[in-house]
Amino acid sequence: MMKNRVYKLKAIGSFLALIMVLISCERDLSDDAVEAGFPTTGEIFTDNFVAMGSNFYFPFQGAKPDVFSVDNQVAYESNSSIRIDVPNANDPDGSFAGAIFRSDAGPRDLSGYDALTFWARATQGVAIGEMGFGVDFEGDRFRVARTNVSLSTAWQKIIIPIPDASKLTQERGMLWFSAGTQDTGGNAYTFWVDEVQFEKLGTIAQPRPRILEGQDQVTSSFTGSDLPIGGLTQTLNSANGDITVTAAPAYFDFSSSDNSVATIDSSGIAMVSGPGTTVISASLAGIDAAGSLTINSLGNFTSAPVPTRDPSNVISVFSDAYNNVPVDYYNGFFTPDGQTTQGGAPPANFGGDNVITYTDLNFVGIGTFLNVPTVNASSMTHIHVDLQVRETIDPGDFIRLQLINNVGGNESSGSVTLSSNQLQENQWVGFDVPLANFTGLASRDQLGLIFFVSDSTISNLFVDNIYYYTVPTSPVVAAPTPADPSSNVISLYSNAYTNVPVDTFRTPWSSAATTLTDEVIAGDDVKKYATLGFAGIETTSNTIDATGMTHFRIDTWSAGYTQFNIKLVDFGANGVFGGGDDTEHEVSITSPATGQWVSHDIPLSDFTGLVNRDNIAQYIIVAQPFEGTDVFVDNIYFRN
């Protein structure tokens, strides 16, 4: 026991002495010591992996996971190589080969090199889709890719230049690849990679960075929009000629000529913050990049109305409100056929709202038939689309909406033309078009193309909320609950307010085929006018003085009306029908949305013939097609 105690005391004493030594040397260490950096090892794979740790291989999502192995039979001037077995396109475990090699031993300082190099060959001539470095699944901040890397059956050296080596002081993404079977008709093949390393070649020179593929582009946008700057490349000369790689935004230094209009962050996203004009440009390693983006900010953006249809009745192609079907493209770029339309890909984002924008429009197609299933809209009754024309609309201008079924097979198509008087300049207009109106569309079980055609009469167009839907025969949700204060309301019919006395909701002189029943929808009381032609509502015993009101509201729901009219009748100073002082006016709502509640909030000033408003006694509702559809009604009231 005593020996143990003495040993412990000695150990403590030694430890205290060591602390005193360290304290006494602290000033010398802080003055002279150099902070240890990350290892500068350039080799990744020679005869085996170099300083990569034990857990370094990570396949991409959707890729076949087991394509990688170390081949001890095939190598370039060594004993082994990295072998990648690219699967058949129809392999159930994954249709392509793609993965990253990430250093499990920690980051490396690669700032002393100018290229990633390796030797490679394949079982046949083939182009590997992408190969590069900087992908670590932890942000991929310094991602670099060389695309369509051409391999043959003979070994050849592949060089992937570093856009700016000074950025790579802590990099873990040593190598990545993505390889499919586009060049082999879907058939599997193998390629090998050997002597993988970062090198200082000394022959990498003449940097020529570009943004937006080197083009000077101009775009219009709105406050709150995020505009990603794409087309980021660096071209460098090597002993084998020019090599172009795609480079992550973090290699570039971006700038905005007017930060009050838009700023741009290190991820290459321009964030529009106010009206005006600014120019986005960039440099890489102190060299100005070719290309720029001029942003003309138009101020605040008004989104298209948010769809409210039941998702179970919808097949959506493009809408933030629903889950969309897969789409091949929003612009097919049919250039051999004379298409001039630009835009559409990717959709623009205005303050969080995704919108398809087209310029130079003559025709454009949205495709769902190349690599994704076609749309089976056999059970759907309508197509909806919101359009906003971004220019002056002249007589004769139009947008033709065309649908094509079974593209390239037993093809059929039909179209509907939206004329200039149906469109509005710089305002959203929603169109609900019965699919039966697409004459010539023999079936709709394999809808693969949606065309917008203007024949250049309209050049600039915004598109949103493209979806097919079926209209149920009656509502399943209640009408919107009004939010107007009761002190500002004179209500005829609404659960939200105390209603004034109403003599009748269906006068004897209403159209004979129209019947009225009281219904309850999702706990809310509504009036159902079956086969509505016209129906009269009367407050003749207690006429309404609406002189202090500004609007008349009525909520309607119908599966099939194409027009809805409301007429207000004032009985004049004597308060009785006739006598020469009655006034009235009828307002028509054309193409109201079907299959959903529509709140018609109509300014009383629109009832121009309603000279008097102090003895309103009759309210006449009319639907087209006449006596051809049921109309549900709720929330009938005047408001101020």
Side-chain angles (χ1 to χ4, degrees):
M1 292 296 292
M2 182 59 69
K3 286 183 178 180
N4 288 341
R5 185 171 298 159
V6 170
Y7 173 78
K8 289 179 180 178
L9 289 172
K10 286 182 179 179
I12 293 172
S14 300
F15 179 66
L16 291 173
L18 177 61
I19 290 176
M20 294 303 293
V21 170
L22 290 175
I23 292 174
S24 66
C25 296
E26 182 178 357
R27 181 175 300 277
D28 292 337
L29 286 172
S30 63
D31 289 343
D32 300 331
V34 177
E35 183 180 352
F38 294 96
T40 59
T41 307
E43 294 83 2
I44 300 166
F45 183 93
T46 52
D47 278 346
N48 210 326
F49 286 95
V50 179
M52 289 289 286
S54 59
N55 185 29
F56 53 79
Y57 178 75
F58 300 91
F60 288 125
Q61 183 175 4
K64 187 172 183 179
D66 55 353
V67 300
F68 153 67
S69 62
V70 174
D71 193 328
N72 295 314
Q73 304 299 318
V74 177
Y76 173 78
E77 296 183 352
S78 61
N79 297 319
S80 60
S81 65
I82 297 172
R83 172 174 173 150
I84 305 297
D85 295 307
V86 181
N88 292 314
N90 61 357
D91 192 310
D93 294 328
S95 61
F96 74 102
I100 71 170
F101 293 89
R102 183 180 71 195
S103 173
D104 187 41
R108 299 188 191 183
D109 182 352
L110 305 175
S111 58
Y113 305 103
D114 57 18
L116 170 69
T117 68
F118 51 86
W119 289 82
R121 62 170 288 246
T123 51
Q124 63 185 91
V126 69
I128 306 301
E130 291 182 297
M131 302 188 77
F133 58 88
V135 177
D136 55 12
F137 290 171
E138 296 174 345
D140 305 342
R141 189 157 181 255
F142 294 109
R143 177 185 184 275
V144 170
R146 182 172 171 180
T147 60
N148 297 318
V149 179
S150 180
L151 302 184
S152 68
T153 57
W155 287 103
Q156 57 185 309
K157 188 172 186 177
I158 305 299
I159 298 172
I160 303 178
I162 301 175
D164 180 3
S166 69
K167 304 279 189 179
L168 301 184
T169 57
Q170 300 181 45
E171 184 56 56
R172 295 183 66 196
M174 299 293 103
L175 173 69
W176 70 275
F177 67 91
S178 178
T181 55
Q182 293 86 347
D183 287 354
T184 63
N187 296 318
Y189 61 91
T190 297
F191 70 93
W192 292 265
V193 177
D194 199 1
E195 302 300 319
V196 186
Q197 60 185 322
F198 286 91
E199 289 191 78
K200 181 69 173 180
L201 297 175
T203 57
I204 303 297
Q206 301 175 7
R208 283 150 286 162
R210 297 189 301 175
I211 66 173
L212 299 169
E213 304 293 346
Q215 300 177 2
D216 294 318
Q217 299 184 8
V218 179
T219 188
S220 295
S221 191
F222 299 88
T223 300
S225 302
D226 292 340
L227 303 178
I229 307 299
L232 308 179
T233 64
Q234 172 72 299
T235 300
L236 292 144
N237 184 258
S238 74
N240 297 328
D242 282 348
I243 300 174
T244 297
V245 295
T246 60
Y251 286 102
F252 292 80
D253 295 312
F254 295 94
S255 64
S256 170
S257 64
D258 189 340
N259 286 328
S260 69
V261 177
T263 57
I264 184 162
D265 63 13
S266 60
S267 62
I269 297 177
M271 294 162 285
V272 183
S273 55
T277 299
T278 190
V279 179
I280 303 297
S281 56
S283 63
L284 195 160
I287 298 175
D288 291 339
S292 66
L293 178 65
T294 299
I295 301 174
N296 296 316
S297 174
L298 306 177
N300 294 326
F301 176 71
T302 301
S303 299
V306 178
T308 58
R309 298 186 190 281
D310 187 341
S312 64
N313 296 324
V314 168
I315 299 175
S316 181
V317 176
F318 180 84
S319 177
D320 290 339
Y322 302 110
N323 293 324
N324 300 314
V325 299
V327 174
D328 290 309
Y329 52 77
Y330 296 102
N331 187 341
F333 293 107
F334 299 97
T335 47
D337 298 317
Q339 179 187 334
T340 62
T341 308
Q342 300 298 308
N349 186 289
F350 298 140
D353 183 17
N354 292 302
V355 177
I356 304 172
T357 64
Y358 294 122
T359 58
D360 299 321
L361 175 67
N362 62 341
F363 69 89
V364 68
I366 297 175
T368 56
F369 71 97
L370 289 176
N371 302 306
V372 301
T374 52
V375 173
N376 183 356
S378 300
S379 62
M380 302 291 108
T381 58
H382 291 71
I383 183 172
H384 176 93
V385 61
D386 289 320
L387 301 179
Q388 183 178 138
V389 177
R390 301 294 303 173
E391 62 186 54
T392 300
I393 301 173
D394 298 318
D397 288 354
F398 68 90
I399 297 293
R400 182 177 301 118
L401 183 60
Q402 182 178 6
L403 304 180
I404 299 180
N405 194 73
N406 201 4
V407 180
N410 186 21
E411 188 174 294
S412 66
S413 68
S415 62
V416 170
T417 299
L418 309 174
S419 61
S420 59
N421 60 4
Q422 295 175 275
L423 302 164
Q424 294 188 42
E425 177 184 344
N426 296 325
Q427 293 188 39
W428 287 107
V429 182
F431 295 94
D432 292 275
V433 185
L435 292 174
N437 290 3
F438 289 85
T439 305
L441 190 66
S443 58
R444 44 182 183 266
D445 59 338
Q446 298 181 60
L447 291 173
L449 268 172
I450 301 173
F451 272 106
F452 296 96
V453 181
S454 76
D455 288 347
S456 299
T457 62
I458 291 173
S459 295
N460 301 317
L461 184 69
F462 287 179
V463 183
D464 201 357
N465 299 319
I466 308 170
Y467 58 86
Y468 302 96
Y469 66 94
T470 184
V471 179
T473 57
S474 61
V476 294
V477 297
T481 302
D484 296 300
S486 57
S487 59
N488 294 341
V489 167
I490 300 174
S491 177
L492 281 71
Y493 184 79
S494 176
N495 284 358
Y497 304 109
T498 300
N499 301 313
V500 299
V502 175
D503 294 303
T504 180
F505 283 95
R506 185 194 178 281
T507 60
W509 41 265
S510 300
S511 57
T514 300
T515 60
L516 171 63
T517 56
D518 290 317
E519 306 279 339
V520 178
I521 304 295
D524 184 39
D525 296 321
V526 301
K527 299 288 186 182
K528 177 184 178 182
Y529 291 89
T531 59
L532 176 61
F534 67 89
I537 302 169
E538 289 188 332
T539 56
T540 53
S541 300
N542 296 278
T543 58
I544 289 178
D545 182 358
T547 53
M549 301 290 110
T550 60
H551 288 70
F552 177 80
R553 171 169 165 171
I554 181 170
D555 292 350
T556 61
W557 190 104
S558 177
Y561 55 9
T562 57
Q563 182 172 307
F564 179 76
N565 295 2
I566 175 71
K567 178 189 286 189
L568 301 182
V569 181
D570 187 279
F571 279 1
N574 60 12
V576 296
F577 179 73
D581 58 353
D582 297 359
T583 60
E584 63 182 47
H585 191 89
E586 185 173 14
V587 170
S588 297
I589 295 98
T590 303
S591 301
T594 55
Q596 64 185 46
W597 285 104
V598 181
S599 295
H600 309 286
D601 195 36
I602 309 167
L604 288 174
S605 58
D606 287 359
F607 294 87
T608 54
L610 191 69
V611 177
N612 304 312
R613 300 177 190 166
D614 51 353
N615 281 296
I616 299 178
Q618 289 181 339
Y619 320 79
I620 303 168
I621 57 175
V622 185
Q624 296 292 339
F626 191 81
E627 297 181 351
T629 187
D630 299 343
V631 178
F632 295 79
V633 173
D634 197 1
N635 298 319
I636 309 171
Y637 63 86
F638 295 91
R639 72 173 181 88
N640 181 7

